Amino acid sequence: MAFFPKEKIVCTENMPEKVEKNDLHLEIGIEQSGVSFVLQKEKKWKYDISLDGDALTRKNEIKRALYLVLQEYTNKTLPWGSLTGIRPSKIAYALWERGFSEEEIVLHLQKEYFASKEKSKLCTQTAKTEWDILKFLDLENSYSLYISIPFCPSRCFYCSFPAYLILQWEKRLEEYFSCLIQELEYIAQKFRHKKLYSVYVGGGTPTSVSAQYLELLCQKIRELFPFEEVKEFCVEAGRPDTINEEKLLVLKKYGVNRLSINPQSMKEETLQLIGRKHSVQEIYDSYFLAKKCGFEQINMDFILGLPNESIEDIAYSMSECKKMNPDSVTIHSLAWKRASILTIGQTYLNQFQDWQMHHSEKTMQMVHQAMQEMDCHPYYLYRQKNMEGNLENVGYSKKGKESFYNMLIMEEKHSILAAGAGASTKLVFFPENRIQRLENVKDVGHYIARIEEMIQRKAQVLGNL
Ligand code: SF4
C-alpha cells in the first residue's frame, strides 16, 4: 500500500482465475531456500533468506525482500523503508535498553529496514528521550488510566474516534456517567495494590460536557484512586469551542495538570472545510484563557495534509503556534481512516473530489525546523495506515513537559486500564512478556445497556491478578 497509495490491493492464497489487463500481479513464493517473486508472470527475483529464525525474524526477512522488489519495480524509495509497524520507536527503544549507541541504532535502522538517515535519526532520538525518562519508573508495578468521554460538538471529517454528537446525547449523560463510575470503581478496587502513574481523559472531547459532569468525574477519580504517584492528569480539551472558564477552574481544582487544545490548522477556511465548526479566534481565546487559569502544560495538535492547504498555509499555522508558544505540539499526518466522513465521501459519494491534498517530506522538515525554533524536541512517534505521504505523527515537547501517558502508550511497557465507551484496555503481563487487549463496545447506547458485561470482561482476565 505504501508503494501504490490508494490502489486496491488484494491478497489471495491461490492464483485468481482472472487477472485484468491493467492489474499488477505479484506472486510471492516461500520456499525452503528463500523467497521468490514473479511479476506479471514473467520477471522473477529470488532472495536467499534464512527460514530458521522465529516468526518475527522470518516476517522481517520476507518484508525486506519484498521492499527491494517493489523499490526496483516502482523506482521509489520510502522514507521508512520496509518498516510498516505503528511504533517504529519500539525497535530503537529496545536497542537503547540493550546499551547500543546512537550511531549503532541509526545504522541498524538504515541497514535492516532501509529507513532513510533522517527517519532513522528521528526514531533514535525519540526513543532516547523516552528511555531517559521511562527507565526510572517502576513500570511492572504500576498502571495508567484512560477514561473515554466520547462526545463532541460536531464530527470532524477525518475523525474515526468514537465521537457522538453531544446535543443528541445530553439526556443520557447521567446514565453514561453512572456506568462509567461503576467501571472506575471496579478498576480502582482491582488495582489497589498497584501505583497509578497517569490519568488521561480523552474521547471525543471531554470538555463537551458541562462543568457539573466534569466535576462529578474528577471528584470520583480523586476519591477512588491514590494520587501520590500520579505524574500526569491530562484532559483532552481538543475543541476550543467547548472550553470556558467554569470548566477550566473545575479541572484545575482537581489537579488536572495537562490540557490539550487542538487547532489542527490556523487557516479559517480549513477549519470550516473539515467540519470543526469553530473559528481561529476561538483557538487563541481558549488557549490564553487556559493560561490565565494557571495551566502550565498545554499541548496543541496540528494535522498536515489537510484539504487545500499549501506548504505556505502550514508555515503560517506554525508561525501562529510559535506566537502562542504551547509546551508541547503533536504533529499528525492526515490518515485516511475507513470510518471517517472524508474516506466515505471520497470512496462512495464522489464528494470532495476537487480537494487538493498536499503533504511531503519537505513539509515535515519545515515543521521540524519550526519545532526546533520553539525549543521543542521529538519525544514520541507513531505511524498509521493510509497516511498522506506515508509519513508519521510526532509529539514534540519542551524539556520536562513531555507527556508520560503518550510515551507509556507508545512503548507498551505498562498496563493501561481503560473505562468508557470505545475504550481499549492494554494489559502487559511482564513474566510472559505478553500484551492482552480488552475492548469496550463503541456505541454509547450499547455501553450503557451492557455495562455489567464490560466489567465482567475485565474480571475474566484480571480474575487472579
Ligand atoms: S474533535 Fe476529535 S474526537 Fe471530536 S470529532 Fe473531531 S477529531 Fe473526532
Side-chain angles (χ1 to χ4, degrees), residues 152 154-156 158-159 161 163 204-205 239 276:
C152 280
S154 67
R155 192 161 173 89
C156 308
Y158 52 83
C159 177
F161 297 111
T205 305
R239 292 284 286 264
R276 296 283 287 180

Side-chain angles (χ1 to χ4, degrees), residues 249-295:
L249 292 178
V250 165
L251 300 178
K252 190 83 194 136
K253 176 171 144 195
Y254 290 97
V256 170
N257 59 7
R258 184 174 188 268
L259 280 185
S260 199
I261 300 173
N262 303 327
Q264 313 301 8
S265 166
M266 295 300 281
K267 185 180 169 189
E268 204 77 61
E269 295 91 314
T270 308
L271 296 180
Q272 299 315 311
L273 216 54
I274 59 176
R276 296 283 287 180
K277 299 213 163 76
H278 63 78
S279 63
V280 167
Q281 189 58 45
E282 282 172 287
I283 299 170
Y284 297 115
D285 292 347
S286 51
Y287 175 76
F288 289 111
L289 181 63
K291 280 266 168 212
K292 191 186 107 192
C293 292
F295 287 93

Side-chain angles (χ1 to χ4, degrees), residues 69-117:
V69 166
L70 294 178
Q71 185 186 44
E72 190 183 325
Y73 177 76
T74 60
N75 209 13
K76 266 192 203 171
T77 51
L78 303 177
W80 285 96
S82 66
L83 282 168
T84 51
I86 294 172
R87 298 176 172 85
S89 61
K90 270 182 88 170
I91 300 171
Y93 188 95
L95 296 173
W96 280 115
E97 258 181 328
R98 288 167 55 195
F100 282 71
S101 70
E102 177 163 351
E103 206 184 3
E104 286 168 327
I105 302 173
V106 172
L107 260 179
H108 176 82
L109 295 171
Q110 287 179 268
K111 271 181 69 183
E112 284 299 308
Y113 302 98
F114 311 114
S116 71
K117 192 168 181 185

Side-chain angles (χ1 to χ4, degrees), residues 296-326:
E296 286 173 0
Q297 208 178 337
I298 304 180
N299 173 72
M300 285 192 157
D301 280 8
F302 285 87
I303 302 180
L304 311 183
L306 286 171
N308 299 350
E309 286 222 332
S310 62
I311 190 162
E312 289 76 25
D313 292 326
I314 294 167
Y316 174 73
S317 289
M318 291 300 108
S319 74
E320 292 308 287
C321 175
K322 254 190 260 176
K323 286 184 202 157
M324 287 185 277
N325 199 19

Side-chain angles (χ1 to χ4, degrees), residues 202-233:
T205 305
T207 42
S208 300
V209 304
S210 67
Q212 288 68 33
Y213 278 113
L214 288 176
E215 174 129 35
L216 170 74
L217 178 67
C218 291
Q219 201 176 34
K220 263 291 162 198
I221 295 172
R222 295 305 303 250
E223 190 184 303
L224 291 170
F225 295 91
F227 257 63
E228 300 77 41
E229 299 280 347
V230 171
K231 295 162 199 334
E232 180 174 291
F233 184 3

Side-chain angles (χ1 to χ4, degrees), residues 158-214:
Y158 52 83
C159 177
S160 67
F161 297 111
Y164 296 86
L165 296 184
I166 185 71
L167 274 177
Q168 289 176 3
W169 284 92
E170 250 164 1
K171 290 204 174 74
R172 298 198 68 190
L173 284 184
E174 203 177 322
E175 286 174 88
Y176 183 73
F177 276 85
S178 150
C179 295
L180 186 60
I181 288 168
Q182 273 184 59
E183 204 181 357
L184 290 174
E185 282 168 348
Y186 171 79
I187 295 171
Q189 160 66 14
K190 200 71 209 169
F191 273 68
R192 65 191 180 285
H193 55 292
K194 299 235 181 198
K195 293 177 256 195
L196 178 64
Y197 271 170
S198 69
V199 180
Y200 196 101
V201 187
T205 305
T207 42
S208 300
V209 304
S210 67
Q212 288 68 33
Y213 278 113
L214 288 176

